[in-house]
Amino acid sequence: MTLFFVGLFVFVNGQNISNYWQQHVDYAMDVQMDVENYQYTGTQKLVYTNNSPDEIKRVYYHLYFNAFQPGSEMDIRLQNIEDPDGRMFVDGKSRIAHLQKDEQGYLHVSSLTQDGEELSFEEEGTVLVVDLAKPIPSGGKTTFDMVFSGQVPLQIRRSGRNNKDGVALSMSQWYPKMAEYDFEGWHADPYIAREFHGVWGDFDVKLTIDKDYIVGGTGYLQNPEEIGHGYETSGAKIKKQKGRTLTWHFKAPMVHDFMWAADPEYVHDTLQMENGPMLHFFYKSDPKFVDTWKAVQPMTEKAMAFFNKNIGEYPYEQYSVIQGGDGGMEYAMATLITGGDKPGSVIGTMIHELAHSWFQHVLATNEAKHSWMDEGFTSFISALCSNEIRDSKKENPFEGSYKGYYYLVNSGKEQPQTTHSDRYNSNMPYGIAAYSKGAVFLSQLGYVIGQDKLMETIRKYYEDFKFKHPVPNDIKRTAEKVSGMELDWYLTDWTQTTNTIDYNIKEVIADGDKTKIILERIGLMPMPIDLLVAYSDGTKETFYMPLQMMRGEKENPYPTINRTVLKDWPWTNPTYEFVIDRPLGDVLAILIDPSQLMADINPNNNIYQAQE
Ligand SMILES: [Zn+2]
C-alpha cells in the first residue's frame, strides 16, 4: 500500500524533482580584521555534507581576492577584451595591473585538515585545489578546518577598501568559499569579474574589528547588547566588550554566501515592516548622501511588499541596504550600492538588487551558466515594480529591454544565452543577453501563455524551487504546468540559439465581399500570432493563430475586443492565409501583435494601412 503511493507520487512529480539533490555546507568562521593595513586572518570550520550519489575525492575552494593582482586571470582578461569595464580600466590601463603591493588583494590558506588529517592543496590563481585524505562517500559528512589570511584590495570590482564614496570596507567574496558540486559536476570557475554560484548552508561568523567601525551585511547579529551601534533594542543598556575592538557575532541560516561591510562613519537606520522583515540602512554620514539614503528607505519597504505579493514571501527576517561596492550588487539578505547624490538612480538600483533576493539568493541558479535567469528575471520583475511604485506608469515597462535586444541583434555580435558568462566575446553581448534578452524571455512568455498565467508561473516557480538551484528547464516546466501548453520550442529557440522572430503582413487582397490576408514567417523562430484589424467604421476585432506545436491557446488578452481563434499555424509553413468577413474597403489597418511583447526584429512589416 505505502509503496504503491510512493511510486505514484514519484510518477506524477516527474524525474526532475524526485532525483533532485544538493550539497550542504555549514561554515563557522572567526576573523580578525586590522583596519590599519587592511589585512585579516581567520579560521574556518566547514562541515560538508555530500548529498550527491557520487564519492568525492577532491574539492575546490574559491579564493576570489587573488584576482586583484597584476597578471591574474581577471587582469589579463581585462587587458584583452574589446570593451573593458570602465570601473576597472581607466585611461587605457588596467587598474589591477597598476596596484601597488599594499593595495593588491590576496587570500591564502596556510593550513587545512580533513577530520583532523593534514591535506595537501595547491593554489591556482583564484581556485584552491584540494585532494582529500579520504574520499567523502555518497551521503557522508566531513569536517574541514582551515587557517587563512587575506588582504583587502583597493576597490576595483565589487569588493575592496576605500571605494569612491569613501566606504572603508566592502567585503564580498572575502573568505575561502567551497565551490558548488551539482548534477553537472564541479563549478570551480576562476574569478574574472562576473558571476557567482555557491552551496546552500548555514553561516556562523565572528568578526573582530576596531570598535568604532559599524558593520552591516548578511546574517542576524547575535550579540546586539554588546555591540550597540543601532542594533540594540531601543533603550537597552549596552555592555560593551573591553579593549580597542569589538567581536561581532552573526548567524545566517540557509544562504549561499556571506557579505559584510564596515565603516566608522556609517549612519545605521532601521525600519520594521509590518508582517515583514526588519530593514537596515547603512550609509556615510556625509550630508551629500543623507537625503538620498533617507529617500531610499520607504521605497525599499514598498518594493519588498511588491515582490512579496508578486513572487512570494521573502523568507528572512532581515534585509540591509548598504552603501558600498562599485555600483549595485546583490548578496544574501543584503545589497551594496554606491552613488549617493541621485536618489532616483539609487532607488532604481535598490529595486533591482532587492529583486535579486528572490532571483539568485533564494532561487539560486548558476549565474555563470544561466545569467539570463537571474539578471533577466530580476530586470523583468524590477521593471514591473518600478512601474507600479514609482511615478513612471509606462504602457510597456520592458521597452528598454526590447530596444537593447534589437540593438544586439543588429550589431551582429549576438551569442546564444547558453554561452558561459565568462566566455562571451565581449561585455556588450553578455550584458544584453543576460539583462535585456533575459527580461524579454519572461515578458514575451506572457505574450505566449497570457499575462495572468505568466504571473502564476513566477509564483509557482518560486514556491517549487526556493532554496534550490533551478535550471532553465524548471521555469519552462513550470510555465507548461500552469498553461497546459508545450513550450520546449520557446525555451530552445530563445535561449539556445540566436534565431530571431520576424513576421510580415505579406498580402491583403479583395476576395469578393470578403478580404484575404496572407501572413509570412520570415524569421526562423516561430510564434503564435495576435492580429488586430481596425475598420473604417471605428470597430475592431482580433484574430489569433496559435502555433500548432504549443498544443494550446491563451485566453483573450483583449477581453473588450471580439476575438476569433483561427486554426493552428504549423511552424513548417512559411505562410498562412485566412479570410475575414468584411470587404477590403472596410479595412483601415491591420497590426501584428498590438502589445509589442513579441520581439519581432522588424516592426515595419507588422502593419498594413489602407491607401487613402
Ligand atoms: Zn542584477
Side-chain angles (χ1 to χ4, degrees):
M1 188 73 175
T2 317
L3 263 180
F4 171 77
F5 278 109
V6 169
L8 193 70
F9 178 80
V10 170
F11 177 74
V12 295
N13 280 280
Q15 289 283 313
N16 199 28
I17 290 173
S18 61
N19 290 340
Y20 182 80
W21 53 267
Q22 68 190 21
Q23 305 297 65
H24 186 88
V25 284
D26 287 312
Y27 286 89
M29 291 191 272
D30 200 335
V31 180
Q32 284 76 41
M33 182 80 217
D34 184 332
V35 297
E36 298 299 322
N37 61 11
Y38 299 99
Q39 291 175 357
Y40 59 105
T41 55
T43 58
Q44 181 191 86
K45 182 184 285 296
L46 190 155
V47 180
Y48 188 89
T49 309
N50 178 15
N51 294 318
S52 83
D54 311 320
E55 181 182 77
I56 290 179
K57 295 176 179 157
R58 190 183 237 203
V59 300
Y60 300 88
Y61 288 83
H62 297 283
L63 303 173
Y64 292 114
F65 274 7
N66 292 342
F68 303 103
Q69 295 167 12
S72 70
E73 284 160 281
M74 189 189 276
D75 182 28
I76 303 298
R77 173 71 171 158
L78 184 58
Q79 295 186 39
N80 286 286
I81 201 161
E82 68 182 28
D83 55 351
D85 186 326
R87 288 169 289 207
M88 302 166 66
F89 202 80
V90 175
D91 300 331
K93 286 186 197 142
S94 154
R95 287 180 60 212
I96 300 176
H98 293 83
L99 288 173
Q100 301 301 309
K101 205 81 194 146
D102 63 353
E103 299 170 335
Q104 294 169 15
Y106 65 73
L107 185 55
H108 299 311
V109 172
S110 54
S111 92
L112 181 59
T113 63
Q114 179 191 7
D115 299 327
E117 234 176 295
E118 288 287 335
L119 292 178
S120 64
F121 51 85
E122 195 172 343
E123 197 178 276
E124 296 181 358
T126 56
V127 175
L128 189 77
V129 182
V130 183
D131 287 313
L132 299 184
K134 54 177 200 306
I136 318 167
S138 171
K141 259 185 206 223
T142 203
T143 302
F144 298 106
D145 276 291
M146 174 191 279
V147 179
F148 63 92
S149 59
Q151 178 168 287
V152 186
L154 202 63
Q155 175 75 32
I156 301 284
R157 189 72 185 95
R158 296 204 176 103
S159 20
R161 69 200 213 215
N162 310 321
N163 81 347
K164 67 177 167 48
D165 290 359
V167 174
L169 290 163
S170 303
M171 297 293 283
S172 53
Q173 297 92 38
W174 58 276
Y175 60 94
K177 181 178 174 184
M178 179 62 71
E180 169 71 341
Y181 182 82
D182 63 16
F183 72 105
E184 295 176 318
W186 282 103
H187 298 282
D189 295 338
Y191 185 41
I192 63 162
R194 231 162 236 160
E195 305 289 333
F196 305 100
H197 192 36
V199 193
W200 281 109
D202 301 331
F203 284 71
D204 183 311
V205 178
K206 290 193 178 111
L207 167 66
T208 302
I209 189 167
D210 183 285
K211 69 176 172 53
D212 293 338
Y213 279 64
I214 298 149
V215 180
T218 307
Y220 309 120
L221 186 64
Q222 301 296 303
N223 55 342
E225 316 305 342
E226 285 185 330
I227 296 291
H229 285 313
Y231 280 94
E232 71 278 17
T233 37
S234 73
K237 198 162 163 47
I238 309 301
K239 280 175 266 161
K240 280 229 164 132
Q241 302 155 357
K242 289 199 173 66
R244 270 305 305 161
T245 59
L246 280 178
T247 298
W248 301 61
H249 183 197
F250 293 99
K251 281 188 182 180
M254 268 315 256
V255 291
H256 52 83
D257 203 3
F258 191 100
M259 176 279 289
W260 59 276
D263 194 278
E265 292 167 0
Y266 269 153
V267 177
H268 177 196
D269 292 339
T270 56
L271 194 170
Q272 176 65 56
M273 279 184 68
E274 220 177 298
N275 306 316
M278 175 74 97
L279 304 177
H280 293 253
F281 302 88
F282 299 87
Y283 52 97
K284 298 282 285 187
S285 54
D286 187 326
K288 76 177 179 215
F289 298 127
V290 172
D291 288 350
T292 292
W293 283 77
K294 290 286 182 199
V296 163
Q297 299 178 20
M299 294 307 281
T300 308
E301 184 177 23
K302 282 186 183 170
M304 177 71 79
F306 179 90
F307 297 136
N308 276 339
K309 181 167 161 239
N310 288 284
I311 315 173
E313 209 61 34
Y314 177 77
Y316 306 103
E317 289 158 27
Q318 177 184 309
Y319 185 80
S320 301
V321 184
I322 305 170
Q323 188 175 13
D326 61 357
M329 184 66 190
E330 71 276 16
Y331 300 102
M333 301 163 68
T335 178
L336 290 178
I337 298 176
T338 48
D341 44 358
K342 292 195 186 74
S345 116
V346 176
I347 289 167
T349 308
M350 174 278 292
I351 293 172
H352 178 96
E353 305 310 339
L354 175 60
H356 272 300
S357 291
W358 285 260
F359 296 115
Q360 184 50 28
H361 283 286
V362 181
L363 294 157
T365 48
N366 182 340
E367 295 184 288
K369 295 191 69 172
H370 318 296
S371 53
W372 59 276
M373 292 181 75
D374 66 293
E375 292 307 346
F377 293 6
T378 291
S379 299
F380 169 86
I381 204 77
S382 53
L384 268 189
C385 175
S386 278
N387 215 38
E388 172 141 335
I389 71 170
R390 302 175 86 180
D391 297 334
S392 54
K393 298 276 185 274
K394 293 180 200 147
E395 207 173 315
N396 179 358
F398 317 108
E399 199 183 346
S401 296
Y402 283 82
K403 278 191 182 148
Y405 168 64
Y406 299 141
Y407 171 83
L408 174 62
V409 169
N410 292 325
S411 74
K413 293 184 175 181
E414 190 183 6
Q415 292 172 256
Q417 286 176 312
T418 45
T419 307
H420 189 286
S421 296
D422 292 338
R423 282 186 287 285
Y424 278 85
N425 192 39
S426 56
N427 285 320
M428 184 278 284
Y430 157 75
I432 296 181
Y435 291 75
S436 307
K437 196 183 179 189
V440 174
F441 175 90
L442 283 185
S443 55
Q444 184 172 250
L445 181 62
Y447 169 77
V448 175
I449 67 176
Q451 295 308 318
D452 292 349
K453 293 279 191 269
L454 170 70
M455 297 316 288
E456 200 181 323
T457 295
I458 290 170
R459 288 191 297 270
K460 182 172 169 53
Y461 172 61
Y462 180 69
E463 202 45 45
D464 289 354
F465 295 98
K466 59 186 175 187
F467 301 111
K468 292 183 179 152
H469 297 290
V471 295
N473 199 56
D474 296 326
I475 183 71
K476 184 212 76 169
R477 284 295 293 133
T478 307
E480 288 185 337
K481 288 173 189 175
V482 167
S483 68
M485 293 182 192
E486 184 180 332
L487 296 165
D488 207 46
W489 59 274
Y490 183 65
L491 180 73
T492 309
D493 268 60
W494 191 254
T495 70
Q496 300 175 17
T497 76
T498 55
N499 294 349
T500 52
I501 300 163
D502 181 14
Y503 281 87
N504 173 29
I505 302 174
K506 192 166 188 246
E507 280 183 83
V508 179
I509 12 178
D511 186 5
D513 57 355
K514 297 176 184 204
T515 304
K516 186 193 276 184
I517 299 178
I518 304 176
L519 301 182
E520 179 185 22
R521 177 178 60 76
I522 298 172
L524 200 48
M525 179 163 175
M527 286 292 278
I529 298 298
D530 284 340
L531 193 82
L532 177 79
V533 182
Y535 300 105
S536 44
D537 62 5
T539 58
K540 287 177 196 160
E541 63 177 323
T542 65
F543 296 89
Y544 176 47
M545 286 144 267
L547 182 64
Q548 184 156 292
M549 65 179 158
M550 74 190 198
R551 317 287 167 205
E553 291 157 17
K554 71 173 166 189
E555 277 171 31
N556 185 359
Y558 310 102
T560 58
I561 305 176
N562 184 56
R563 177 177 84 160
T564 305
V565 179
L566 299 170
K567 65 179 191 302
D568 290 349
W569 185 339
W571 77 265
T572 48
N573 301 12
T575 58
Y576 184 105
E577 61 176 73
F578 69 102
V579 172
I580 54 177
D581 225 3
R582 301 271 296 252
L584 180 60
D586 283 4
V587 175
L588 193 65
I590 303 173
L591 180 62
I592 294 175
D593 177 26
S595 73
Q596 297 185 41
L597 291 172
M598 182 176 87
D600 189 310
I601 58 163
N602 180 8
N604 298 328
N605 58 12
N606 291 8
I607 188 157
Y608 163 89
Q609 277 173 297
Q611 309 295 322
E612 285 299 311

